[in-house]
Amino acid sequence: MKRVAYFISDGTGITAEALGHSLLAQFEAISFEQITLPYVNSKEKAQKIVEKINKSGQESGAKPIVFDTIVNAEIRAIIAQADAFKVDIFATFLAPLEQELQVHSSYSVGKSHSGANSSAYKARIDAVNFALDNDDGAKIKHYADADIILVGVSRSGKTPSCLYMALQFGVKAANYPLTEEDLGSGKLPDVLKPYKHKLFGLTIDPERLAAIRNERRANSRYSSLKQCYYETEEVELLYMREQIPHLTTTDLSVEEISTRIMLEANLERRVN
């Protein structure tokens, strides 16, 4: 079974996407074609989108599902005319909140993602730049400024996790790849010893690791199953020997990896 789902907003569409994705993910038996339509900020755009929604419903034979975070009441009324199952996120949640708080909402477009000059936004940008500058052991002299240093074998998820924590949480995350030479010594690299309290290890199923590495460097020693088994076994022994907290990333998304690291490492979010 397949259904079409639209995420519509007069802003970036991030809020509609986030809630919509979370809800649709609960229906694994259904395949969703997901379409995001941001900056729907005029009646003309809204009318064209209604036509688009209605057409897709006629073609698929099933009502499209619409998640919207439209602030403007007139534009929202036009979207409401679409022949679709509609989830009006603001209308659903803001009205009860207004009643409880006994105050009217500001109904401002992009309010949850505004503040390019705020301290929280600056913290995120600084953290992203830090993650980029300190990727793959590039500049170990900056490790004193890191909130956390991810370690692990190549392609275990260090870089995307660092960038996600930076962008979403404002955390300064560096990462250091543990090479075959490091693992062969059975000891923590000297450059990491002063920062042992900041280390967090990532590991991964060797067969999954081999598949990932084959996409990058096929039929090489680097991507061989034997090499992947060796590296993952050695790195996990190192974590246990050095008492480094660690996490298996095999079946986790970057969002899940990052959130678990934040929780287990007791890191403070800097974007609230």
Side-chain angles (χ1 to χ4, degrees), residues 124 127-133 135 150 157-171 173 175 254 258:
R124 288 166 57 194
V128 169
N129 287 330
F130 183 88
L132 291 171
D133 286 342
D135 181 45
L150 300 188
K158 302 184 299 301
T159 295
S161 299
C162 284
L163 288 171
Y164 187 89
M165 286 191 291
L167 186 59
Q168 294 296 320
F169 308 131
V171 167
N175 77 78
V254 66
S258 303

Side-chain angles (χ1 to χ4, degrees), residues 66 155 250:
V66 172
R155 312 304 287 179
T250 309

Side-chain angles (χ1 to χ4, degrees), residues 5 18 23 30 78 105 112 166 170 173 183 189 220 240 267:
L23 293 173
I30 301 174
I78 294 172
S105 160
S112 63
L183 299 174
S220 64
M240 289 186 284
L267 292 175

Side-chain angles (χ1 to χ4, degrees), residues 134-208:
N134 294 275
D135 181 45
D136 241 10
K139 295 181 180 178
I140 58 176
K141 65 180 180 180
H142 295 150
Y143 280 6
D145 299 323
D147 297 312
I148 193 167
I149 303 168
L150 300 188
V151 294
V153 300
S154 173
R155 312 304 287 179
S156 57
K158 302 184 299 301
T159 295
S161 299
C162 284
L163 288 171
Y164 187 89
M165 286 191 291
L167 186 59
Q168 294 296 320
F169 308 131
V171 167
K172 289 186 175 180
N175 77 78
Y176 186 94
L178 293 170
T179 65
E180 185 174 5
E181 182 179 348
D182 296 325
L183 299 174
S185 71
K187 299 178 181 178
L188 200 62
D190 290 340
V191 296
L192 294 179
K193 289 179 180 179
Y195 311 106
K196 184 177 176 180
H197 61 291
K198 295 185 178 184
L199 301 184
F200 195 99
L202 299 184
T203 186
I204 187 171
D205 176 79
E207 295 192 8
R208 174 61 179 153

Side-chain angles (χ1 to χ4, degrees), residues 6 8-9 40 42-43 45-51 53-54 63-89 91:
Y6 289 89
I8 305 173
S9 174
V40 181
S42 71
K43 295 179 183 178
K45 288 181 181 179
Q47 191 58 56
K48 288 181 180 179
I49 284 172
V50 168
E51 294 171 6
I53 292 170
N54 291 344
K63 278 188 176 183
I65 300 168
V66 172
F67 296 90
D68 85 77
T69 53
I70 300 290
V71 172
N72 184 284
E74 293 181 340
I75 295 175
R76 194 163 66 243
I78 294 172
I79 298 296
Q81 296 172 9
D83 185 16
F85 176 81
K86 292 172 285 292
V87 181
D88 186 335
I89 296 172

